[in-house]
Each structure stands twice: as C-alpha cells, then as structure tokens.
Amino acid sequence: MMANTLYKLGAALGLVLALSACAHQGAAALDEVGAPQVPATLSVEEADAKLKQSASEREAAENEFAARELACYDKFFVNNCLDKAKEKRRLILVRLRAVDAEANYFKRAESVRLRDIDLARTQESARLDAEQRAAAVPKPVKVVTPEPAPPKPQGKSLAEREAEQAAKVAKQAADDAAEAPRRAAREAAYAKKQADAVERQKRVAQRLAERQAEAQAKAAKAAAAAASAPAVVPVPPAN
C-alpha cells in the first residue's frame, strides 16, 4: 500500500514539474489587478492557433490541478494546499477565457468584414454592368413601310345574289328531305321507349298487388289457425 502511494506521488510530482512552464506563463500573463493581457490577433490563422493553444493549455492546467490535488492529501495543511492549487488553476482559466474571447471576436469581425467586401464588390460589378448597358449605342431601328392594301372587290351583282339565295334554299330543302327518315325513326324509337316504360310500371304494380294478396292470405290463415286451437289449462302440481 505504501509503495503504491509513493509511486502515485512521484508520478504526480513529475507531472507538476513538466507543466510548471505552462503554469508560469498563465501567471505572467496577468497584470497588477489580475486583468488578462491578450495580444491583438492579426489574422484568422493566428486566431485558430490561439484557440488550439488555449485548448492545450486548458487541458494541461486541469491535469496539473489533478496532480497537485493528489499531492495535497499527503501534506499536513491539506486545505491550504488545495486552495493554492485551485487559485492557480482559476488564474490560468481566466487568462485562457480571455484569449478565447479575443480570438473568437476577431474571427467573427473578420467574417463580417469579408462578407461586406464581397457584397460591395458585387454591388460595384452590378453598377458597372448597368453603366455599360446604358452607354451602349442602340442599334438603328429598321422602319418597315407597310404595303398598300389591295383594292376591295366591287359588290356582287343582283343576279349573283339571287343565284346564291336559290342555291341556299335548294340545299336546305335537300337537307330536310334527307333528315326526315332519321327524324321519323327517332320519334318512333322515343314512342316505343315510352310505351315500354308504361308496360314495365304496370307489371311492377301487378307484382306488388299479388305479393300483398299473398301476405294477406297468409295472415288470415294464421289467424284462423290460432282461433281454432284448443286452450291449454295448466295442471297444478301434486303435493
């Protein structure tokens, strides 16, 4: 048990020594009032590098705190040791949060700046294109003179009009004569259809009357049978 504890303590102290440079950098980045001093970012690549470095330092700070916390439990003043470890981690995380905020702000501002540049470029291109179209020399419009309309023919003579009217009358008479057999056939078919409908109605009425008569006869027969049947007197049970 003691050997295992000594081994863990040695590993923890080794990790503390390995990460001491990172912790010293976190403390040195604070001014007299504890405000983080973050250098200005000048490019998106630099912002990405800062964020990557911040993530690495944050992980290292958490690992160092875990190691220091483990070492504190073997000391006499455990709480004092833990408070110092927590304070050191807090200072490092405050600085790293300031670094992340500055890098992310630069990336957002740079994205907005590039978007505005692209929008201005598009608007300028559209303006130049409109100016070029407006300045273009219009093509001459070819004026087409319409050809004079042909002279209208003179009106038809009286003989021509009479001949056309006679032809129309003759055509109408021929059409009526050809249509007469078809009209007579249609009328005959309609009359037959009406007669068939009347006959069907008669047959339906006759079948209904026959069914009603059969039903009445059955009902009368059943009533007569019921009236002629002897009454059944119930016999009391023997004691």
Side-chain angles (χ1 to χ4, degrees):
M1 178 68 69
M2 180 63 69
N4 189 18
T5 303
L6 291 176
Y7 175 77
K8 291 183 178 180
L9 179 58
L13 292 177
L15 182 59
V16 170
L17 293 176
L19 298 174
S20 60
C22 178
H24 177 71
Q25 181 182 359
L30 303 177
D31 61 9
E32 296 179 356
V33 296
Q37 299 296 313
V38 181
T41 303
L42 301 178
S43 66
V44 176
E45 292 77 10
E46 183 181 355
D48 291 337
K50 282 185 176 182
L51 293 173
K52 184 177 180 181
Q53 180 65 24
S54 175
S56 178
E57 292 184 14
R58 183 176 288 103
E59 182 180 2
E62 294 294 344
N63 291 334
E64 179 186 4
F65 173 75
R68 289 174 64 89
E69 185 181 24
L70 180 62
C72 286
Y73 286 109
D74 292 332
K75 294 184 179 181
F76 183 75
F77 298 102
V78 177
N79 292 334
N80 185 38
C81 180
L82 290 175
D83 291 340
K84 290 181 179 180
K86 291 178 181 179
E87 179 63 16
K88 187 174 182 179
R89 181 184 64 169
R90 185 189 69 81
L91 293 175
I92 294 175
L93 294 181
V94 166
R95 178 181 62 83
L96 294 179
R97 281 194 293 269
V99 172
D100 292 346
E102 191 276 337
N104 287 321
Y105 175 80
F106 176 84
K107 291 183 67 175
R108 289 193 299 270
E110 183 67 9
S111 176
V112 172
R113 186 183 70 84
L114 294 178
R115 183 186 61 190
D116 292 342
I117 291 175
D118 185 65
L119 179 60
R121 188 177 301 159
T122 301
Q123 292 176 347
E124 181 65 14
S125 177
R127 185 185 65 81
L128 293 176
D129 185 61
E131 290 180 355
Q132 290 177 359
R133 288 198 303 269
V137 179
K139 294 181 179 180
V141 180
K142 183 178 180 181
V143 179
V144 179
T145 304
E147 297 180 358
K152 294 182 179 180
Q154 299 294 331
K156 296 180 181 180
S157 63
L158 178 61
E160 290 175 345
R161 291 196 298 271
E162 290 178 350
E164 290 181 355
Q165 183 63 27
K168 290 180 180 180
V169 172
K171 184 177 181 303
Q172 185 64 40
D175 293 341
D176 293 341
E179 182 64 19
R182 291 192 291 270
R183 186 184 302 109
R186 288 196 299 269
E187 292 176 354
Y190 179 76
K192 184 177 182 303
K193 185 177 181 180
Q194 293 294 326
D196 292 343
V198 172
E199 185 64 25
R200 282 196 302 272
Q201 291 178 355
K202 289 181 180 180
R203 289 196 298 271
V204 170
Q206 183 178 358
R207 284 197 297 270
L208 290 176
E210 291 174 354
R211 290 177 183 176
Q212 290 178 356
E214 291 177 358
Q216 291 176 356
K218 289 181 180 180
K221 184 176 180 181
S228 61
V232 178
V233 177
V235 178
N239 292 330

